[in-house]
């Protein structure tokens, strides 16, 4: 009996090669994504030997896009974005504009049409959120201020790219590509207006009805106790909403899946939804990168090496320098500027989606897709080296550049308490390091108790807001002795550190004890091992999240049952 198995063959080859090359990439300290792209190149038509079904791989990659964007939506936090909006929004817009202009410039130099140059420049302007999150997690700085700024910056880039994906089809005819059916039925502006109206209608339905219906459906399904049904419901939400959005509102699969994840995040089942969908999401995301690799023509590295170098220069140098200057212009430290620069010095999933759409609309030549892929491969492979070079580069710049030292040491109005600060904040006060969820609750308790406190926070925008509320606050990393000096730690009664970084904690403790030997220190820790090391340093008040939660819950249980409290 003969079997028609191109789908099975494509899946087997794609997953197998991705496993092998992903493993090899991780072993040499390169993101596994590079291995997935190489796997696609080897089973694609651009290399000799076995060739997988490109058409089937393309359809599988569409599922990968849906699940990938669903995952981005699940992790998208509007609150986190608003916390860094004053630097992330203008920074991302200006940086994307500059990168797009650079891409258009080299495309014009190569003799491409301006429409092709626009798509090419936009593809080079948006960095990979997946690559960034993995890089920040590997270095333990995802929850730091630098990490939040970098993630917020990329979220703005993602939202801007989603808007481009929506507007690109109706604009294709004007840009020199193939005119879509919708664009041929009326004037350009009428088509754009209709497209934006459909997108707005879809978003309104998702935000109004979706955020009520989806959580209710998940609750009903969870009551059955069936894990399989819950997982199925999450996948149906991701793919079903993406498909329905495309069919009913002419919205891209990517945007539909993104809003499905964003709405699901609002429910109390968001963490479980992310956990249940993760294996399937990872699997199809791998197929997406493999299918993208299949479109790559390796011969371009030999035929047009100068073009490839130009693309890499825009991604790694052009975008990084633009981001560096923008962050410094917003008066953030050199370390923050270098971290954001390294974060943006790569391109990934959205670049592939944009370039693929440009290819399908007849805007981008095949050479453009190959150049985007080459730039992605090289930039992602080099990205870990850029992150590793941040601190050595910062020291080198400060040692050799008088301008850099002036920028690093320049007077920031929020880096010191104003002269009008009341005396009660400058003597016997509490210095509160970090104003996140934990810090805010501690501050509220001190406020209600009439205890004076000074906040030391790395988020400059948050410090500005606190000052406007009449709360004493200084901007900067409290690991820097100057920040604690400005918070008047020498006259403080207590230092309370709510940030989780153990290295910074030790520097804060050392500075506080040097300036104020009698100060009481209260720290927050994420693990028992970490808290034990801190206690060995002579710090008695170390609070561990799980430990305090267990104490509170056990105390409640014992009190309700009338048993004596544990010692």
């Amino acid at each position: 009996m003969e079997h028609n198995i191109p789908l099975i063959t494509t899946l087997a080859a794609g997953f197998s090669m991705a496993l092998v090359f992903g493993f090899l990439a991780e072993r040499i300290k390169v993101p596994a994504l590079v291995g997935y792209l190489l796997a696609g190149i080897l089973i694609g038509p651009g290399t000799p030997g076995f060739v997988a079904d490109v058409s089937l791989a393309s359809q599988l990659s569409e599922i990968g896009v849906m699940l990938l964007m669903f995952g981005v939506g699940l992790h998208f936090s509007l609150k986190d974005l608003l916390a860094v909006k004053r630097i992330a929004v203008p920074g991302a817009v200006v940086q994307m504009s500059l990168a797009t202009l650079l891409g258009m410039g080299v495309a014009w130099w190569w003799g491409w049409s301006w429409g092709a140059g626009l798509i090419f420049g936009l593809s080079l302007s948006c960095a990979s959120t997946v690559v960034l999150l993995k890089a920040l997690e590997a270095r333990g700085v995802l929850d730091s201020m630098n990490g939040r700024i970098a993630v917020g910056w990329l979220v703005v880039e993602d939202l801007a790219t989603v808007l481009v994906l929506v507007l690109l089809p109706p604009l294709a005819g004007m840009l020199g590509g193939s005119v879509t059916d919708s664009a041929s039925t009326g004037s350009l502006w009428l088509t754009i207006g209709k497209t934006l109206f459909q997108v707005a209608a879809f978003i309104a339905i998702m935000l109004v009805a979706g955020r009520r219906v989806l959580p209710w459906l998940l609750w009903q399904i969870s009551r059955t106790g069936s894990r399989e049904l819950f997982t199925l419901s999450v996948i149906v939400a991701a793919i079903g909403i993406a498909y329905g959005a495309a069919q009913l509102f002419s919205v891209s699969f990517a945007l539909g899946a993104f809003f499905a994840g964003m709405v699901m995040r609002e429910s109390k089942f968001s963490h479980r939804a992310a956990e249940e969908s993760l294996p399937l999401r990872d699997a199809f995301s791998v197929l997406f990168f493999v299918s993208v690799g299949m479109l790559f023509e390796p011969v371009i590295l030999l035929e047009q090496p100068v073009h490839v170098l130009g693309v890499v220069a825009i991604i790694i140098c052009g975008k990084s320098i633009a981001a560096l200057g923008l962050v410094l212009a917003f008066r953030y430290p050199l370390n923050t500027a270098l971290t954001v620069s390294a974060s943006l010095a790569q391109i990934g999933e959205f670049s592939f989606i944009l370039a693929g759409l440009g290819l399908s609309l007849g805007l981008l030549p095949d050479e453009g897709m190959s150049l985007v892929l080459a730039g992605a491969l090289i930039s992602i492979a080099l990205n870990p080296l850029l992150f590793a070079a941040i601190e050595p580069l910062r020291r080198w710049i400060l040692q050799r550049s008088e301008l850099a030292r002036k920028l690093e040491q320049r007077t920031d109005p929020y880096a010191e308490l104003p002269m009008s600060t009341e005396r009660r904040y400058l003597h016997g006060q509490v210095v509160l390091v970090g104003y996140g969820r934990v810090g805010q609750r501690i501050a509220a308790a001190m406020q209600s108790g009439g205890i004076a406190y000074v906040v030391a926070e790395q988020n400059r925008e948050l410090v500005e807001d606190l000052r406007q509320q009449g709360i004493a606050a200084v901007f900067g990393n409290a690991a820097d002795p100057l920040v604690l000096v400005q918070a008047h730690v020498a006259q403080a009664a207590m230092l309370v550190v709510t940030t989780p970084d153990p290295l910074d904690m030790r520097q804060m403790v050392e500075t506080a004890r040097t300036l104020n030997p009698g100060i009481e220190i209260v720290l927050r820790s994420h693990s028992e091992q970490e808290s034990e090391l801190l206690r060995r340093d002579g710090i008695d008040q170390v609070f561990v999240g799980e430990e305090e939660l267990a104490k509170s819950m056990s105390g409640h249980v014992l009190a309700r049952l009338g048993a004596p409290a544990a010692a």
Side-chain angles (χ1 to χ4, degrees), residues 229-252:
L229 282 177
F230 187 86
T231 304
L232 183 60
S233 67
V234 173
I235 302 303
V236 167
I239 298 179
I241 291 176
Y243 179 76
Q247 293 297 312
L248 300 177
F249 298 94
S250 300
V251 173
S252 67

Side-chain angles (χ1 to χ4, degrees), residues 26 38 45 72 99 129 154 220 253 262 391 471 555 560:
E26 288 287 351
L38 288 174
V72 172
T129 308
L154 259 68
Q220 297 301 319
F253 288 137
M262 186 176 167
E391 188 55 32
I471 298 173
R560 294 290 292 176

Side-chain angles (χ1 to χ4, degrees), residues 176-453:
S178 57
V179 181
T180 61
D181 293 338
S182 60
S184 61
T185 58
S187 69
L188 175 64
W189 292 112
L190 181 63
T191 303
I192 294 175
K194 180 182 176 183
T195 300
L196 292 177
F197 175 77
Q198 289 175 315
V199 172
F202 168 71
I203 293 174
I205 290 173
M206 289 299 297
L207 293 180
V208 176
R211 68 194 314 172
R212 290 177 173 83
V213 174
L214 265 181
W216 180 81
L217 285 175
L218 289 177
W219 168 245
Q220 297 301 319
I221 291 170
S222 68
R223 292 175 63 185
T224 66
S226 171
R227 181 172 180 175
E228 292 84 357
L229 282 177
F230 187 86
T231 304
L232 183 60
S233 67
V234 173
I235 302 303
V236 167
I239 298 179
I241 291 176
Y243 179 76
Q247 293 297 312
L248 300 177
F249 298 94
S250 300
V251 173
S252 67
F253 288 137
L255 183 63
F258 173 78
F259 271 93
M262 186 176 167
V263 168
M264 193 168 289
R265 179 185 169 85
E266 299 293 322
S267 79
K268 60 183 178 182
F269 298 104
S270 59
H271 292 293
R272 185 179 172 190
E275 182 182 346
E276 298 292 345
S277 63
L278 185 61
L280 195 61
R281 193 167 76 234
D282 284 347
F284 277 95
S285 297
V286 167
L287 286 178
F288 166 69
F289 291 114
V290 170
S291 68
V292 168
M294 292 173 67
L295 301 175
F296 181 59
E297 295 288 344
V299 71
I300 199 170
L301 297 173
L302 300 175
E303 293 180 348
Q304 298 180 339
V306 176
H307 288 192
V308 174
L309 287 175
V311 170
V312 174
I314 291 174
I315 297 170
I316 294 182
C317 300
K319 291 172 62 179
S320 297
I321 293 172
L324 183 72
L326 286 166
V327 177
L328 290 175
F330 280 95
R331 308 183 73 91
Y332 277 84
L334 182 59
N335 181 264
T336 301
L338 290 171
T339 300
V340 174
S341 299
S343 302
L344 298 173
Q346 40 83 14
I347 59 174
E349 58 276 0
F350 266 122
S351 302
F352 306 148
I353 296 171
L354 260 176
L357 182 59
L359 203 62
S360 66
L361 293 173
L363 287 169
L364 190 69
D366 293 338
E367 174 192 349
M369 186 67 180
S370 293
L371 287 171
V372 170
L373 288 167
L377 278 166
I378 297 170
S379 64
I380 292 172
L382 294 177
N383 199 242
L385 300 178
L386 295 179
F387 269 99
I390 288 175
E391 188 55 32
L393 182 60
R394 188 186 75 88
R395 291 196 298 265
W396 184 85
I397 291 174
L398 291 176
Q399 288 172 1
R400 287 166 174 78
S401 172
E402 182 66 27
L403 176 61
R405 287 195 292 273
K406 288 181 179 179
L407 289 173
E408 189 79 348
Q409 298 170 2
R410 62 189 166 179
T411 302
D412 188 315
Y414 295 104
E416 57 185 28
L417 291 177
M419 297 295 292
S420 59
T421 304
E422 296 180 26
R423 174 67 183 172
R424 65 192 182 94
Y425 291 109
L426 309 179
H427 186 79
Q429 84 283 11
V430 174
V431 176
L432 177 63
V433 178
Y435 200 75
R437 286 175 295 182
V438 176
Q440 289 175 26
R441 294 192 176 191
I442 296 173
M446 290 191 291
Q447 189 86 21
S448 62
I451 300 172
Y453 62 93

